[in-house]
């Protein structure tokens, strides 16, 4: 004799109905609960739904929304491309009007350029008989060679070294850039660079001797003992002492060590070498980096 099915509480039935309705699954039939094999085919059937379809549909909807947003915003329209092209055409036109970016020389270089400009005007007045500005703009390699030979052979000329002639040529090429508003042709630069060594000028390396120790002692004694000049601050006197030592040991002008590109603390390095003999003090060496101070023929010397 089978017992009649028990009725579930009403609140429990409502909760199960809401749960299965939210997750879109059919409610569990009590009659099939006794036979669990009847539930498996439905579960397998639900698993057969491919996930890619949902992804494709979502991707398609996203692409549709993106294309709609792009078409609405106008970023892919021809009008935007035309305005962007016009913007960069205006920038290019400004660069054409501005011309090439020329170097900004220091005051010493400007003075040398002024001197070389006067020499070019004098050369044009005596030799070329024409406008110096137009002559400089239209000058060829032969014209520049004639000018440099004229500078070498003119009266009271003191050009004896090849480095001096190279400096004059470099300054004249800078004047050409300022006058013509463009850089000189590379072929002319290479021609003059290879031609200057044929002038048979002195290109030997000049070895400058350092200051004698006795002379350095006299210089330091005058600074610390005999000097009666009042400094704005005595720290300046302390700083002048090592500058005199550096200038005397490296054959450098003191004004070059404190000029527009002065010697900095990062250019000074101390090295300590331990003594090989026990009991003696280690040797201390000072290394100065004068790369930005000393020059020779346009080349930096360490």
């Amino acid at each position: 004799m089978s017992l009649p099915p028990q009725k579930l509480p009403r609140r429990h039935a409502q909760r199960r109905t809401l749960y299965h309705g939210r997750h879109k699954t059919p409610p569990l039939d009590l009659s099939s609960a006794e036979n669990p094999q009847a539930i498996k085919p439905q579960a397998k059937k639900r698993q057969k739904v491919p996930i890619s379809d949902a992804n494709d549909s979502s991707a398609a909807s996203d692409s549709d929304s993106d294309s709609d947003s792009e078409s609405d915003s106008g970023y892919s329209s021809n009008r935007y491309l035309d305005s962007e092209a016009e913007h960069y055409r205006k920038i290019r036109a400004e660069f054409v009007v501005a011309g090439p970016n020329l170097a900004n020389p220091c005051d010493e270089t400007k003075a040398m350029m002024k001197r070389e400009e006067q020499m070019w005007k004098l050369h044009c007045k005596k030799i070329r008989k024409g406008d110096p500005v137009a002559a400089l703009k239209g000058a060829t390699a032969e014209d520049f060679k004639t000018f440099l030979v004229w500078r070498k052979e003119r009266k009271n000329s003191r050009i004896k070294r090849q480095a001096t002639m190279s400096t004059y040529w470099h300054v004249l090429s800078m004047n050409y850039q300022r006058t013509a508003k463009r850089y000189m042709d590379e072929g002319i630069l290479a021609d003059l660079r290879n031609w200057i060594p044929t002038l048979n000028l002195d290109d030997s390396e000049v070895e400058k001797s350092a200051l004698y120790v006795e002379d350095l002692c006299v210089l330091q004694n005058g600074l610390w003992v005999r000097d009666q000049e009042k400094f704005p601050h005595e720290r300046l006197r302390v700083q002048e002492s090592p500058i005199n030592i550096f200038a005397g040991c490296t054959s450098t002008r003191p004004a070059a060590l404190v000029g527009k590109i002065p010697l900095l603390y990062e250019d000074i390095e101390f090295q300590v070498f331990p003594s090989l003999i026990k009991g003696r003090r280690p040797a201390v060496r000072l290394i100065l980096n004068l790369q930005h101070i000393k020059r020779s023929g346009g080349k930096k010397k360490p």
Side-chain angles (χ1 to χ4, degrees):
M1 182 177 179
S2 61
L3 297 176
Q6 297 180 358
K7 292 183 179 182
L8 296 175
R10 182 179 180 181
R11 187 177 299 276
H12 177 73
Q14 290 177 351
R15 284 201 300 267
R16 293 188 60 83
T17 303
L18 291 174
Y19 174 80
H20 291 290
R22 185 182 300 118
H23 295 276
K24 297 181 180 180
T25 56
L28 182 62
D29 189 4
L30 294 177
S31 60
S32 61
E34 299 177 358
N35 188 10
Q37 296 180 355
I39 306 176
K40 294 182 180 179
Q42 296 179 359
K44 292 182 179 179
K45 187 175 181 179
R46 287 197 303 270
Q47 294 177 359
K48 290 181 181 179
V49 178
I51 302 176
S52 59
D53 294 343
N55 295 336
D56 295 340
S57 60
S58 61
S61 61
D62 294 340
S63 61
D64 293 340
S65 61
D66 292 341
S67 60
D68 294 340
S69 61
E70 289 181 357
S71 60
D72 295 339
S73 59
Y75 283 106
S76 60
S77 63
N78 294 330
R79 182 176 59 183
Y80 171 77
L81 296 177
D82 294 341
S83 62
E84 184 181 13
E86 183 66 22
H87 171 68
Y88 288 106
R89 280 195 293 267
K90 290 181 180 179
I91 292 179
R92 185 186 182 280
E94 293 176 358
F95 289 147
V96 173
V97 174
N101 290 332
L102 303 178
N104 186 19
C106 60
D107 295 338
E108 290 81 0
T109 305
K110 290 180 180 179
M112 295 176 63
M113 293 174 63
K114 187 66 176 180
R115 171 63 178 169
E116 205 64 24
E117 182 182 358
Q118 295 175 356
M119 296 300 297
W120 177 260
K121 290 181 179 179
L122 182 61
H123 169 73
C124 293
K125 181 179 179 180
K126 292 185 176 181
I127 308 299
R128 297 178 62 92
K129 307 295 183 180
D131 183 22
V133 176
L136 184 59
K137 290 182 178 179
T140 60
E142 292 75 16
D143 298 328
F144 292 125
K145 291 178 182 179
T146 305
F147 169 75
L148 294 178
V149 172
W150 172 80
R151 286 219 58 178
K152 174 188 174 185
E153 297 179 353
R154 66 187 297 266
K155 187 178 180 180
N156 298 327
S157 175
R158 296 183 298 176
I159 300 178
K160 303 298 181 182
R161 297 187 55 79
Q162 180 177 319
T164 305
M165 184 64 73
S166 298
T167 302
Y168 289 155
W169 162 239
H170 179 66
V171 175
L172 181 61
S173 64
M174 295 178 65
N175 280 331
Y176 174 86
Q177 296 173 10
R178 293 282 174 177
T179 305
K181 302 298 181 181
R182 64 183 179 88
Y183 290 102
M184 188 175 294
D185 183 67
E186 186 64 28
I188 298 178
L189 295 175
D191 189 2
L192 269 293
R193 187 167 53 249
N194 297 329
W195 172 78
I196 289 177
T198 63
L199 295 176
N200 297 324
L201 296 172
D202 185 13
D203 61 344
S204 61
E205 195 72 27
V206 178
E207 187 68 26
K208 297 180 180 180
S209 59
L211 189 66
Y212 286 103
V213 178
E214 292 81 0
D215 298 334
L216 181 60
C217 290
V218 173
L219 186 63
Q220 294 291 76
N221 180 266
L223 174 66
W224 290 102
V225 179
R226 302 180 181 274
D227 188 17
Q228 298 180 358
E229 185 71 22
K230 293 182 179 180
F231 286 82
H233 196 285
E234 282 301 315
R235 183 179 178 85
L236 299 178
R237 188 187 302 273
V238 177
Q239 293 178 350
E240 185 178 351
S241 179
I243 289 176
N244 292 336
I245 297 175
F246 296 158
C249 296
T250 60
S251 303
T252 306
R253 293 178 293 107
L257 297 175
V258 294
K260 290 189 175 181
I261 307 179
L263 188 70
L264 304 177
Y265 284 113
E266 61 184 14
D267 299 325
I268 303 175
E269 179 183 355
F270 284 95
Q271 294 184 358
V272 180
F273 298 91
S275 176
L276 300 178
I277 302 176
K278 186 177 180 180
R280 290 190 178 182
R281 295 180 178 179
V284 181
R285 298 292 182 268
L286 175 64
I287 299 178
L288 296 178
N289 183 8
L290 304 178
Q291 181 178 2
H292 303 288
I293 296 175
K294 301 197 69 173
R295 295 171 179 265
S296 178
K299 298 180 181 180
K300 296 180 180 180
K301 297 182 65 177

